[in-house]
């Protein structure tokens, strides 16, 4: 599954395909309409003008998401004032539980610049699809009222025009993440 996901993420657009990507570019990113942790409606257009670093996950994630967001926090702290030139975003893949209020409470544990986004299941699915993010609700076999969310865990660095630049696994070293961000700033 990991190899298939990586292939899908890294594969260039099909020759002759329609859309905003040219042949040979990685088809990551695109339009979305979500709600931030304050309840404000946002789209990809609200992030134009600054590079954006997206990370998809969910607030009930036991380890991958908090460790990835902690890495992002360390990188943003290392950037100092330069961090103001970046839009770091955490997009929930669990819209059933991750309300704006739940996101607001969760992201307080990390860097204050990180903006949490959620939406309806269809809106989240559309955003995840445009970034080639895999996610799937997995029921808890011991308790039918509980579930986990299996998901790919990458940081997606987009330029100030919303174009894909590079991606990193959630396990990336904060120093390498900081270097990549500095390079685009």
């Amino acid at each position: 599954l990991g190899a298939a996901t990586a292939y899908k993420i890294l594969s260039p657009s099909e020759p002759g395909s329609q859309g905003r990507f040219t042949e040979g570019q990685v088809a990551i990113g695109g339009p979305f309409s979500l709600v931030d942790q304050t309840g404000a409606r946002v789209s990809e257009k609200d992030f134009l003008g600054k590079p954006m670093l997206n990370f998809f996950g969910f607030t009930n994630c036991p380890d991958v998401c908090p460790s990835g967001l902690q890495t992002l926090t360390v990188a943003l702290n290392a950037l100092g004032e330069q961090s103001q030139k970046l839009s770091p975003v955490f997009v929930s893949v669990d819209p059933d539980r991750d309300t704006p209020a739940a996101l607001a409470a969760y992201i307080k544990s990390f860097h204050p610049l990180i903006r949490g986004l959620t939406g309806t299941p269809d809106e989240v699915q559309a955003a995840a699809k445009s970034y080639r993010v895999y996610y799937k609700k997995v029921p808890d076999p011991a308790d039918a009222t509980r579930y986990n969310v299996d998901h790919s865990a990458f940081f997606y660095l987009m330029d100030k025009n919303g174009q894909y630049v590079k991606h990193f696994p959630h396990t990336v070293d904060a120093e390498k993440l900081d270097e990549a961000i500095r390079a685009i700033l």
Side-chain angles (χ1 to χ4, degrees), residues 72-86:
L72 176 55
T73 296
V74 170
L76 291 170
N77 286 338
L79 284 166
E81 288 298 315
Q82 289 283 89
S83 66
Q84 299 292 324
K85 297 178 182 177
L86 179 75

Side-chain angles (χ1 to χ4, degrees), residues 87-101:
S87 293
V89 177
F90 177 66
V91 182
S92 173
V93 293
D94 186 8
D96 294 333
R97 292 185 290 202
D98 289 345
T99 63

